[in-house]
Amino acid sequence: MPYVADTIAKLKRTGPAEIEYYQAVEEVLMSLRPLLDKDAKYKKHNIIDRIVEPERQIMFRVAWIDDKGQVQVNKGYRIEFNSALGPYKGGIRLHPSVYAGIIKFLGFEQIFKNALTGLAIGGAKGGSDFDPKGKSDNEIMRFCQSFMNELYRHIGPTTDIPAGDIGVGAREIGYMFGQYKRLTGRYDGVFTGKKINWGGSLARKEATGYGAVYFAQNMLAAIGQTLEGKTCVVSGAGNVAIYTVEKLQQVGATPVTVSDSRGMIHHPQGINLATLKQLKEVEGASLSEYAQRHPEARYTAAADYPAGRNPIWSVRCDAAFPSATQNELNEADAVALLKNGCSCISEGANMPSTQGAIDKFLAAGISYGPGKAANAGGVATSQLEMAQNASMQQWTFEEVDSRLHAIMNNIYQTVSSTAAEFGQAGNLVLGANIAGFRKVADAMIDQGVV
Ligand code: GLU
């Protein structure tokens, strides 16, 4: 497809070495062929060239002082990618792997994900190569304050609303919000993922994981199945993974794995949710501790993983929920999952499957829910938090959860009916990319060349 190759070549020339970004763009563009062939207006308005170029990229120095009194310097990013559908919206990631290519891929995915929610939110992402691991609470606070000393001037409740992502939870949001408030003197709904007692939304913490399970239920219902009694594998041990495990248990499935950066747990009797929450939400401990408390569970250290593979994807299962990070599931993993009978994948993480893995899932015709559709429940609930803040209300957990559930059902309907409209029923990658793109592109055309 020449327009894909031409676009990627231009991106490589004008923004070198942004590997993950090219990957995300290629996946979306490959899906668009049937739409571009059907409707000439997208080509006429040169939407492809426009949509792959962020509206604004902010890169800044974050200098802070560690507990030893040493000056530390990190890179800070906020990429305001597209505001055709609403104010920029997307999380902040703090992880040593962060560089422009990661923030750009995440921001690009966010545009289409946010469009699929049906809510009025544009796409953005931010972050830093700061590593929160091993840092004291005071160091985290000083970093967040310094990060905000630059970012505050670019954000606002109707311009750009950051949230959490890897390495950023309610604690970090609190420090950033506090500094924003101090610098601006405003108590605005400028962040989502806040704590409940100062403006957060009930069910926001649970939303991404719950949403990924609701999405899987939709995919299974279409083929007359449910999650009840199914063995599931989950990767990760953060917010997304924990609440995926919780919802899976509530609907009668058995999640048997979780993982963190140091290793993975396989607990054939089912993950003990109380232990998982205690270790990750209270103690901040490694999963190796889990095996101490549950001797029937097996811990494998990451150092002992076979080269380039995560053993989670070789565990026999009916459904898989990749909920850790990008490119955590490769082609060989996909082959192993399929061989072991896995027939449903719902992605809680952003771009966890490589293109090779996606191709295997699509060729096998299994239920495959790509991240930009399956994990959209998090950002959708962020928008519900914005709505509560703007109207000075606080909804109940049940109210938020039932809206989340309806949004996930609606995303599934949109994505699957779009796939069918273009003669590829069941291809939810194509359905998600076309449905998300069409909504944003049409708005861009309506709003003129800006
Ligand atoms: N970081 C999350 C995502 O990838 C949530 C973003 C938000 O709530 O703004 O969608």
Side-chain angles (χ1 to χ4, degrees):
M1 291 182 221
Y3 75 95
V4 180
D6 290 351
T7 307
I8 300 294
K10 185 173 170 193
L11 291 179
K12 285 186 175 165
R13 197 173 66 245
T14 57
E18 295 173 346
I19 322 285
E20 293 81 3
Y21 180 50
Y22 313 143
Q23 181 186 343
V25 171
E26 192 159 3
E27 189 226 277
V28 171
L29 296 192
M30 302 261 280
S31 300
L32 298 181
R33 186 60 189 265
L35 177 70
L36 301 180
D37 285 348
K38 189 174 150 196
D39 198 330
K41 72 177 172 187
Y42 301 109
K43 210 162 165 218
K44 178 172 162 244
H45 291 275
N46 203 4
I47 291 295
I48 301 281
D49 273 356
R50 288 161 65 189
I51 212 164
V52 299
E53 196 59 47
E55 290 176 14
R56 191 174 300 104
Q57 306 187 58
I58 304 149
M59 298 189 196
F60 49 99
R61 179 181 71 195
V62 188
W64 55 281
I65 296 177
D66 68 18
D67 286 347
K68 295 191 201 96
Q70 303 283 323
V71 178
Q72 300 286 340
V73 180
N74 289 100
K75 289 184 189 292
Y77 301 86
R78 184 71 180 169
I79 302 200
E80 298 180 332
F81 224 117
N82 194 296
S83 61
L85 294 179
Y88 305 110
K89 182 83 196 87
I92 290 175
R93 176 176 293 192
L94 298 183
H95 192 270
S97 65
V98 163
Y99 76 107
I102 295 280
I103 301 299
K104 240 165 147 173
F105 113 68
L106 288 164
F108 187 71
E109 289 286 291
Q110 201 81 44
I111 305 171
F112 307 104
K113 183 198 306 198
N114 293 4
L116 289 173
T117 65
L119 305 167
I121 37 180
K125 206 82 185 193
S128 172
D129 61 347
F130 173 80
D131 186 359
K133 213 172 276 160
K135 301 289 190 298
S136 72
D137 203 62
N138 276 330
E139 288 176 324
I140 302 268
M141 181 176 74
R142 286 195 295 271
F143 171 83
C144 289
Q145 290 175 340
S146 185
F147 188 82
M148 203 39 53
N149 284 346
E150 172 59 31
L151 193 62
Y152 86 95
R153 70 187 88 242
H154 306 288
I155 63 177
T158 57
T159 50
D160 184 352
I161 306 93
D165 196 82
I166 292 172
V168 177
R171 175 180 60 164
E172 291 73 21
I173 298 286
Y175 293 147
M176 291 186 196
F177 178 75
Q179 187 72 352
Y180 170 86
K181 190 162 58 72
R182 185 179 192 190
L183 291 166
T184 62
R186 295 173 64 99
Y187 204 107
D188 284 329
V190 70
F191 279 92
T192 60
K194 301 184 292 296
K195 276 201 180 156
I196 309 301
N197 51 337
W198 47 271
S201 173
L202 289 160
R204 172 62 189 90
K205 187 171 63 168
E206 292 82 356
T208 314
Y210 280 20
V213 176
Y214 296 148
F215 196 85
Q217 287 179 310
N218 272 283
M219 292 195 289
L220 290 172
I223 50 171
Q225 291 187 29
T226 68
L227 279 167
E228 206 179 331
K230 288 203 166 32
T231 299
C232 302
V233 294
V234 179
S235 62
N239 223 24
V240 182
I242 293 172
Y243 292 95
T244 295
V245 166
E246 179 168 287
K247 183 52 76 178
L248 283 172
Q249 291 181 343
Q250 285 174 9
V251 302
T254 308
V256 294
T257 63
V258 282
S259 62
D260 61 17
S261 58
R262 298 200 194 105
M264 61 85 87
I265 284 288
H266 180 202
H267 194 168
Q269 291 78 6
I271 292 293
N272 185 303
L273 183 62
T275 305
L276 178 63
K277 284 188 179 177
Q278 174 67 23
L279 291 176
K280 291 299 174 185
E281 293 185 338
V282 184
E283 297 172 29
S286 146
L287 283 177
S288 54
E289 271 291 309
Y290 184 102
Q292 310 285 323
R293 297 178 203 188
H294 300 280
E296 69 282 13
R298 204 175 66 238
Y299 178 72
T300 309
D304 299 327
Y305 289 0
R309 301 285 301 279
N310 184 332
I312 283 190
W313 314 122
S314 301
V315 170
R316 203 212 67 74
C317 66
D318 304 303
F321 294 81
S323 310
T325 193
Q326 68 273 354
N327 292 330
E328 58 168 312
L329 195 167
N330 62 27
E331 189 175 336
D333 298 323
V335 171
L337 279 167
L338 292 167
K339 189 170 132 249
N340 286 330
C342 177
S343 63
C344 174
I345 319 272
S346 189
E347 295 183 338
N350 289 313
M351 204 169 75
S353 302
T354 64
Q355 190 60 50
I358 297 172
D359 292 342
K360 291 285 173 205
F361 295 144
L362 293 178
I366 61 160
S367 303
Y368 170 64
K372 64 171 77 69
N375 75 36
V379 73
T381 306
S382 276
Q383 199 276 355
L384 302 180
E385 182 172 331
M386 289 160 63
Q388 292 170 76
N389 292 162
S391 61
M392 299 186 176
Q393 290 178 25
Q394 175 132 54
W395 304 340
T396 62
F397 188 98
E398 291 68 32
E399 168 80 29
V400 179
D401 186 37
S402 81
R403 287 184 191 234
L404 163 68
H405 206 148
I407 290 169
M408 295 314 296
N409 293 351
N410 191 43
I411 294 174
Y412 175 78
Q413 289 309 326
T414 304
V415 165
S416 64
S417 64
T418 305
E421 179 191 336
F422 288 91
Q424 297 214 34
N427 183 342
L428 305 186
V429 174
L430 182 122
N433 286 332
I434 291 189
F437 173 87
R438 183 157 56 180
K439 189 148 190 244
V440 179
D442 288 351
M444 288 172 72
I445 292 170
D446 292 345
Q447 293 168 18
V449 181
V450 288

